[in-house]
Amino acid sequence: MSATTDETQSAVAADIADERLIQSQGLGGQARAVWNRLKGGELGMLPVVIGLIVISLVFYSQEPTFLSSKSLVNITLFAAPVGVIALGIVLVLLLGEIDLSVGSVSGFAAASMAVLVANKSQSLIVGMIAGILIGTLIGSVYALLYTRLGVPSFVFSLAGLLGFQGALLYVLGDQGTIVLPTDSGLRQFARERFLSDGAAYVLLAVVVLAYVGSQLLLVRRRKAAGLTPPNLTMVGIKAVLLAGGLGFLTYYLGIDRGWGYLFVLFVALVVVMDLMLRKTTWGRHVYAVGGNEEAARRAGIKVGRIYFSVFAATSTFAALGGILLAGQLTSVSQSSGTTDTNLTAIAAAVIGGTSLFGGRGSAYSALLGIIVLQAIQSGLNLMNVDSSVRFMVTGAVLLLAVAIDSVSRRVRSSSGRG
Amino acid sequence: MSATTTEKPVTGQTVLSLTGINKRFGAVQALTDVHLEVAAGEVVALVGDNGAGKSTLVKVISGVYQPDEGDITFAGRKISVGGPSDAQALGIATVFQDLALCDNLDVVANLFLGQERLLGPVLDEVTMEKEAWRLLRTLSAKIPSVRIPIAGLSGGQRQTVAIARSLVGNPKLVMLDEPTAALGVAQTAEVLNLVERLRETGLGVILISHNMADVQAVADRIVVMRLGRNAAEFRTEETTTEQLVAAITGASDNVVAARASRRAGTTDTTEGAGQ
């Protein structure tokens, strides 16, 4: 057998040598592979992208200013703070757990920051760090409750939802509302700072070059290892689409104010989290624990540490999101981070395509999901629709997203994609 | 075999030897003075009824339990196995009955789970994929793609992945716990081929099975355990199924043998009790 193996190895790359494998070489093959994946229930981000297009068209037909530069810039800005919270939700959902308290934690962290800055005359940076650390601490306690005592995440985060809402009221005392001063750096960062045109295009070029560079490196390494390299034409097409899409968005948003610092920070967090999930040992282990905890444990993964890092990260993102939201709304009040924030963040993660059942999803689902929800909200606001309708529409969209998740899960299991 | 493990043990040399292993759980004496030897390039089948102590013995070897008494010699050195990761580091790999694979991860990710290859701070997917194909080729395994999730594989293919995974750390000894229990005819044959392939690469193999046909098909030696003791030991080619069953059930004092001997009208019930 060694002779035949060596022959096939030299003639065909090792990963496509099996004759039962459906060949996906060339552009047609790639397209077929994508189609087969979709048919097998591996929908990925497709439903949410289609949803976004439908939403845009519907609102545009009702109210043409929906797609104006100003409206789109507003959508990106308002999406960012809750999007940061949703990013944390994606992490817990990957483990098949839930954190219902992110809203309360975000409000409590923001209130702590505001009180430190306004009443205890600490500097803004100290207040922000304290607020974020409070989030980390809360998440660590959650992790201990889960790993040491075995309390279900649903229960302790429900307790946290109530408890930290109380803590928010306690911290604010009889003040009720703390307004951040106009010259506050946080407030300016969240509301008034935008990338200049030059900086935006440079950033765009860096992103596209980084993509192309990493792909070329991959081609070289895979060739050296005797495996099929990525198709260069596909890489080219993707790079052109990426550059064209981002370039157009940058131009179009630039007509108004352009990319806000707040949104750039959010996207940067999403990209970093995506890379950590896909490219590091930690990320691999998060997916493993979410997929089959017992298998992960037997493979020598420190399961407790994975839970710890994820719960801590989720609450940290919640605290950061709350602080950014405070900057955006210019104040912290008794209603900061109440149910609306909470459920919007969770809904965004699920609508973006992260499975509630664990082990499936991506950091980008936080970005796409929150954009969808914010687009709906902005559109309904533009049409002067009552907030009662907004809640009902959001609820319906969430239900649709979960239904799609459940159906695609069934299709996956019947077509052998788990 | 074109691709070989780096330090291939010499065939015939003893890899693992257990002597005088005792293990108690409270009032129950689970293992009494058990001995076992496995040589490189040898498949030793461990058979016995439920409760005979097979699983306990495997767990002692893989470090899940500590023996109360007795010596474990591995690759010429006396060792104590502190835990499953210890065993792994020493070169003792175990494939558990329920495989323990992550359905949502692809074959490469599963093979290297917990022992990922890194390139600086990031996962080295290229090296892992290359290594995955090398491992699968040494097993002559038929996996269509290493980039599909485990959920898309058949039972036999999953078993293949689980066995291939045990080879990632270049072990000297592989223990397979009921590898064919849940498999169909063709897939069972596939797994038995894998076991033979492991033997060819010079590994010591301990195979636990309830299936006499499988055991007789691949094992070089068959060790029978009964009530926590070594009951018998056979060379496969000199053994019949009846002898095995007799040794497993405790030939002289069981209903089947008694009935058989009554019918045959003989009193000879001691055949097969080798030691």
Side-chain angles (χ1 to χ4, degrees), chain A residues 144-182:
Chain A
L144 289 180
L145 284 173
Y146 185 85
T147 54
R148 300 270 174 239
L149 303 183
V151 183
S153 59
F154 180 85
V155 175
F156 62 66
S157 64
L158 190 61
L161 165 73
L162 295 169
F164 293 115
Q165 206 163 330
L168 164 74
L169 299 179
Y170 179 80
V171 169
L172 284 177
D174 37 357
Q175 259 177 310
T177 304
I178 298 178
V179 180
L180 297 174
T182 327

Short mmCIF file of all heavy atoms in Angstrom, two decimals, chain A residues 144-182:
data_model
loop_
_atom_site.label_atom_id
_atom_site.label_comp_id
_atom_site.label_asym_id
_atom_site.label_seq_id
_atom_site.Cartn_x
_atom_site.Cartn_y
_atom_site.Cartn_z
N LEU A 144 -17.83 30.99 38.99
CA LEU A 144 -17.65 30.15 40.17
C LEU A 144 -18.97 29.46 40.54
O LEU A 144 -18.98 28.28 40.89
CB LEU A 144 -17.16 30.99 41.36
CG LEU A 144 -15.71 31.47 41.23
CD1 LEU A 144 -15.31 32.30 42.44
CD2 LEU A 144 -14.77 30.27 41.09
N LEU A 145 -20.07 30.23 40.47
CA LEU A 145 -21.37 29.64 40.77
C LEU A 145 -21.63 28.46 39.84
O LEU A 145 -22.17 27.43 40.24
CB LEU A 145 -22.48 30.68 40.58
CG LEU A 145 -22.62 31.72 41.67
CD1 LEU A 145 -23.64 32.77 41.26
CD2 LEU A 145 -23.07 31.04 42.96
N TYR A 146 -21.24 28.61 38.58
CA TYR A 146 -21.51 27.56 37.60
C TYR A 146 -20.60 26.35 37.80
O TYR A 146 -21.05 25.22 37.88
CB TYR A 146 -21.36 28.11 36.18
CG TYR A 146 -21.74 27.10 35.14
CD1 TYR A 146 -23.07 26.95 34.77
CD2 TYR A 146 -20.79 26.27 34.57
CE1 TYR A 146 -23.44 26.01 33.85
CE2 TYR A 146 -21.16 25.32 33.64
CZ TYR A 146 -22.48 25.20 33.27
OH TYR A 146 -22.85 24.26 32.37
N THR A 147 -19.28 26.63 37.89
CA THR A 147 -18.35 25.50 37.92
C THR A 147 -18.27 24.84 39.29
O THR A 147 -18.13 23.63 39.38
CB THR A 147 -16.94 25.94 37.49
OG1 THR A 147 -16.54 27.05 38.31
CG2 THR A 147 -16.91 26.36 36.04
N ARG A 148 -18.36 25.63 40.38
CA ARG A 148 -18.19 25.03 41.70
C ARG A 148 -19.51 24.49 42.25
O ARG A 148 -19.56 23.42 42.82
CB ARG A 148 -17.64 26.06 42.69
CG ARG A 148 -16.31 26.63 42.30
CD ARG A 148 -15.15 25.81 42.86
NE ARG A 148 -13.90 26.33 42.33
CZ ARG A 148 -13.04 25.59 41.63
NH1 ARG A 148 -13.27 24.32 41.42
NH2 ARG A 148 -11.93 26.12 41.17
N LEU A 149 -20.58 25.29 42.10
CA LEU A 149 -21.84 24.88 42.72
C LEU A 149 -22.79 24.23 41.73
O LEU A 149 -23.78 23.62 42.11
CB LEU A 149 -22.53 26.10 43.36
CG LEU A 149 -21.73 26.86 44.41
CD1 LEU A 149 -22.57 27.97 45.00
CD2 LEU A 149 -21.27 25.91 45.51
N GLY A 150 -22.51 24.38 40.44
CA GLY A 150 -23.37 23.77 39.44
C GLY A 150 -24.73 24.44 39.32
O GLY A 150 -25.71 23.80 38.93
N VAL A 151 -24.80 25.73 39.65
CA VAL A 151 -26.06 26.45 39.47
C VAL A 151 -26.25 26.69 37.97
O VAL A 151 -25.33 27.10 37.29
CB VAL A 151 -26.01 27.82 40.20
CG1 VAL A 151 -27.34 28.54 40.06
CG2 VAL A 151 -25.65 27.63 41.65
N PRO A 152 -27.46 26.42 37.43
CA PRO A 152 -27.66 26.66 35.99
C PRO A 152 -27.51 28.15 35.67
O PRO A 152 -27.91 29.00 36.47
CB PRO A 152 -29.10 26.20 35.77
CG PRO A 152 -29.46 25.35 36.92
CD PRO A 152 -28.64 25.83 38.07
N SER A 153 -26.96 28.43 34.48
CA SER A 153 -26.68 29.82 34.12
C SER A 153 -27.99 30.62 34.03
O SER A 153 -28.02 31.81 34.34
CB SER A 153 -25.94 29.89 32.80
OG SER A 153 -26.71 29.29 31.78
N PHE A 154 -29.06 29.95 33.63
CA PHE A 154 -30.35 30.64 33.54
C PHE A 154 -30.74 31.22 34.89
O PHE A 154 -31.17 32.36 34.99
CB PHE A 154 -31.42 29.65 33.05
CG PHE A 154 -32.78 30.24 32.94
CD1 PHE A 154 -33.15 30.93 31.79
CD2 PHE A 154 -33.69 30.13 33.97
CE1 PHE A 154 -34.40 31.49 31.68
CE2 PHE A 154 -34.95 30.68 33.86
CZ PHE A 154 -35.31 31.36 32.70
N VAL A 155 -30.50 30.43 35.94
CA VAL A 155 -30.94 30.84 37.27
C VAL A 155 -30.07 31.96 37.83
O VAL A 155 -30.56 33.00 38.26
CB VAL A 155 -30.95 29.64 38.24
CG1 VAL A 155 -31.30 30.10 39.63
CG2 VAL A 155 -31.93 28.60 37.75
N PHE A 156 -28.73 31.76 37.79
CA PHE A 156 -27.93 32.81 38.43
C PHE A 156 -27.96 34.11 37.64
O PHE A 156 -27.84 35.19 38.19
CB PHE A 156 -26.50 32.36 38.77
CG PHE A 156 -25.62 31.97 37.63
CD1 PHE A 156 -25.22 32.89 36.68
CD2 PHE A 156 -25.15 30.66 37.53
CE1 PHE A 156 -24.38 32.54 35.64
CE2 PHE A 156 -24.31 30.30 36.50
CZ PHE A 156 -23.93 31.24 35.55
N SER A 157 -28.13 34.00 36.31
CA SER A 157 -28.18 35.26 35.58
C SER A 157 -29.53 35.95 35.75
O SER A 157 -29.63 37.17 35.70
CB SER A 157 -27.84 35.05 34.10
OG SER A 157 -28.81 34.25 33.48
N LEU A 158 -30.57 35.14 36.02
CA LEU A 158 -31.87 35.74 36.33
C LEU A 158 -31.79 36.47 37.67
O LEU A 158 -32.29 37.59 37.82
CB LEU A 158 -32.94 34.64 36.39
CG LEU A 158 -34.39 35.10 36.46
CD1 LEU A 158 -34.75 35.91 35.24
CD2 LEU A 158 -35.31 33.88 36.57
N ALA A 159 -31.10 35.82 38.62
CA ALA A 159 -30.88 36.48 39.91
C ALA A 159 -30.09 37.76 39.71
O ALA A 159 -30.38 38.80 40.31
CB ALA A 159 -30.13 35.53 40.85
N GLY A 160 -29.08 37.68 38.82
CA GLY A 160 -28.26 38.87 38.54
C GLY A 160 -29.08 39.97 37.90
O GLY A 160 -28.90 41.16 38.20
N LEU A 161 -30.01 39.58 37.03
CA LEU A 161 -30.87 40.55 36.36
C LEU A 161 -31.60 41.42 37.38
O LEU A 161 -31.61 42.64 37.29
CB LEU A 161 -31.87 39.80 35.47
CG LEU A 161 -33.09 40.55 34.94
CD1 LEU A 161 -32.68 41.52 33.86
CD2 LEU A 161 -34.12 39.58 34.39
N LEU A 162 -32.16 40.75 38.40
CA LEU A 162 -32.87 41.49 39.45
C LEU A 162 -31.89 42.21 40.36
O LEU A 162 -32.03 43.39 40.66
CB LEU A 162 -33.73 40.52 40.28
CG LEU A 162 -34.87 39.87 39.51
CD1 LEU A 162 -35.47 38.75 40.35
CD2 LEU A 162 -35.91 40.91 39.15
N GLY A 163 -30.86 41.46 40.79
CA GLY A 163 -29.93 41.98 41.79
C GLY A 163 -29.21 43.23 41.33
O GLY A 163 -29.12 44.22 42.06
N PHE A 164 -28.71 43.19 40.08
CA PHE A 164 -27.91 44.34 39.64
C PHE A 164 -28.78 45.52 39.24
O PHE A 164 -28.31 46.65 39.22
CB PHE A 164 -26.95 43.92 38.54
CG PHE A 164 -25.90 42.98 39.05
CD1 PHE A 164 -25.83 41.67 38.61
CD2 PHE A 164 -25.01 43.40 40.03
CE1 PHE A 164 -24.89 40.80 39.12
CE2 PHE A 164 -24.06 42.54 40.55
CZ PHE A 164 -24.00 41.23 40.09
N GLN A 165 -30.04 45.26 38.94
CA GLN A 165 -30.95 46.37 38.74
C GLN A 165 -31.14 47.11 40.06
O GLN A 165 -31.14 48.34 40.12
CB GLN A 165 -32.29 45.86 38.22
CG GLN A 165 -33.03 46.91 37.42
CD GLN A 165 -34.11 46.26 36.58
OE1 GLN A 165 -33.99 45.10 36.17
NE2 GLN A 165 -35.18 46.99 36.34
N GLY A 166 -31.24 46.30 41.13
CA GLY A 166 -31.31 46.90 42.46
C GLY A 166 -30.03 47.65 42.78
O GLY A 166 -30.06 48.77 43.31
N ALA A 167 -28.88 47.06 42.43
CA ALA A 167 -27.60 47.70 42.70
C ALA A 167 -27.49 49.02 41.96
O ALA A 167 -26.94 50.00 42.48
CB ALA A 167 -26.46 46.77 42.28
N LEU A 168 -28.04 49.06 40.74
CA LEU A 168 -28.04 50.31 39.95
C LEU A 168 -28.79 51.40 40.72
O LEU A 168 -28.29 52.51 40.89
CB LEU A 168 -28.70 50.04 38.60
CG LEU A 168 -29.15 51.26 37.79
CD1 LEU A 168 -27.96 51.96 37.19
CD2 LEU A 168 -30.12 50.84 36.70
N LEU A 169 -29.99 51.06 41.22
CA LEU A 169 -30.80 52.03 41.96
C LEU A 169 -30.06 52.47 43.22
O LEU A 169 -30.03 53.64 43.58
CB LEU A 169 -32.15 51.42 42.34
CG LEU A 169 -33.04 51.00 41.16
CD1 LEU A 169 -34.33 50.41 41.67
CD2 LEU A 169 -33.30 52.19 40.25
N TYR A 170 -29.41 51.50 43.90
CA TYR A 170 -28.70 51.80 45.14
C TYR A 170 -27.55 52.77 44.87
O TYR A 170 -27.38 53.76 45.59
CB TYR A 170 -28.17 50.49 45.73
CG TYR A 170 -27.40 50.68 47.00
CD1 TYR A 170 -28.06 50.86 48.21
CD2 TYR A 170 -26.00 50.68 46.98
CE1 TYR A 170 -27.35 51.05 49.37
CE2 TYR A 170 -25.28 50.88 48.15
CZ TYR A 170 -25.96 51.06 49.34
OH TYR A 170 -25.26 51.25 50.49
N VAL A 171 -26.77 52.49 43.82
CA VAL A 171 -25.60 53.32 43.52
C VAL A 171 -26.03 54.73 43.16
O VAL A 171 -25.41 55.71 43.57
CB VAL A 171 -24.77 52.68 42.39
CG1 VAL A 171 -23.71 53.65 41.89
CG2 VAL A 171 -24.11 51.42 42.88
N LEU A 172 -27.10 54.83 42.38
CA LEU A 172 -27.55 56.15 41.96
C LEU A 172 -28.17 56.92 43.12
O LEU A 172 -28.21 58.15 43.11
CB LEU A 172 -28.56 56.03 40.82
CG LEU A 172 -27.97 55.69 39.45
CD1 LEU A 172 -29.08 55.53 38.43
CD2 LEU A 172 -26.98 56.74 39.00
N GLY A 173 -28.65 56.20 44.13
CA GLY A 173 -29.24 56.84 45.30
C GLY A 173 -30.46 57.66 44.90
O GLY A 173 -31.20 57.30 43.99
N ASP A 174 -30.66 58.82 45.59
CA ASP A 174 -31.84 59.62 45.27
C ASP A 174 -31.55 60.61 44.15
O ASP A 174 -32.36 61.46 43.84
CB ASP A 174 -32.37 60.34 46.52
CG ASP A 174 -31.25 60.79 47.41
OD1 ASP A 174 -30.09 60.49 47.08
OD2 ASP A 174 -31.52 61.43 48.44
N GLN A 175 -30.35 60.50 43.55
CA GLN A 175 -30.04 61.40 42.44
C GLN A 175 -30.90 61.11 41.22
O GLN A 175 -31.29 62.01 40.50
CB GLN A 175 -28.57 61.24 42.04
CG GLN A 175 -27.67 62.32 42.59
CD GLN A 175 -26.25 62.06 42.22
OE1 GLN A 175 -25.74 60.96 42.42
NE2 GLN A 175 -25.59 63.05 41.66
N GLY A 176 -31.13 59.82 40.98
CA GLY A 176 -31.97 59.45 39.83
C GLY A 176 -31.21 59.44 38.53
O GLY A 176 -31.07 58.41 37.91
N THR A 177 -30.69 60.57 38.11
CA THR A 177 -29.99 60.66 36.83
C THR A 177 -28.67 61.41 37.00
O THR A 177 -28.62 62.42 37.69
CB THR A 177 -30.86 61.41 35.81
OG1 THR A 177 -32.12 60.75 35.72
CG2 THR A 177 -30.19 61.43 34.45
N ILE A 178 -27.61 60.86 36.41
CA ILE A 178 -26.35 61.58 36.39
C ILE A 178 -26.04 61.92 34.94
O ILE A 178 -25.96 61.03 34.08
CB ILE A 178 -25.20 60.74 36.97
CG1 ILE A 178 -25.49 60.40 38.44
CG2 ILE A 178 -23.87 61.46 36.84
CD1 ILE A 178 -24.45 59.53 39.08
N VAL A 179 -25.87 63.21 34.63
CA VAL A 179 -25.57 63.63 33.26
C VAL A 179 -24.06 63.78 33.12
O VAL A 179 -23.40 64.39 33.96
CB VAL A 179 -26.28 64.95 32.92
CG1 VAL A 179 -25.94 65.37 31.50
CG2 VAL A 179 -27.78 64.79 33.10
N LEU A 180 -23.52 63.19 32.05
CA LEU A 180 -22.08 63.35 31.81
C LEU A 180 -21.84 64.76 31.25
O LEU A 180 -22.60 65.23 30.41
CB LEU A 180 -21.60 62.31 30.78
CG LEU A 180 -21.73 60.85 31.19
CD1 LEU A 180 -21.35 59.96 30.02
CD2 LEU A 180 -20.86 60.54 32.38
N PRO A 181 -20.79 65.45 31.72
CA PRO A 181 -20.52 66.81 31.23
C PRO A 181 -20.24 66.82 29.72
O PRO A 181 -19.77 65.83 29.16
CB PRO A 181 -19.29 67.25 32.03
CG PRO A 181 -18.70 66.00 32.57
CD PRO A 181 -19.82 65.03 32.74
N THR A 182 -20.52 67.96 29.08
CA THR A 182 -20.38 68.06 27.63
C THR A 182 -18.95 67.79 27.17
O THR A 182 -18.73 67.26 26.09
CB THR A 182 -20.76 69.49 27.16
OG1 THR A 182 -21.78 69.98 28.01
CG2 THR A 182 -21.23 69.48 25.72
#
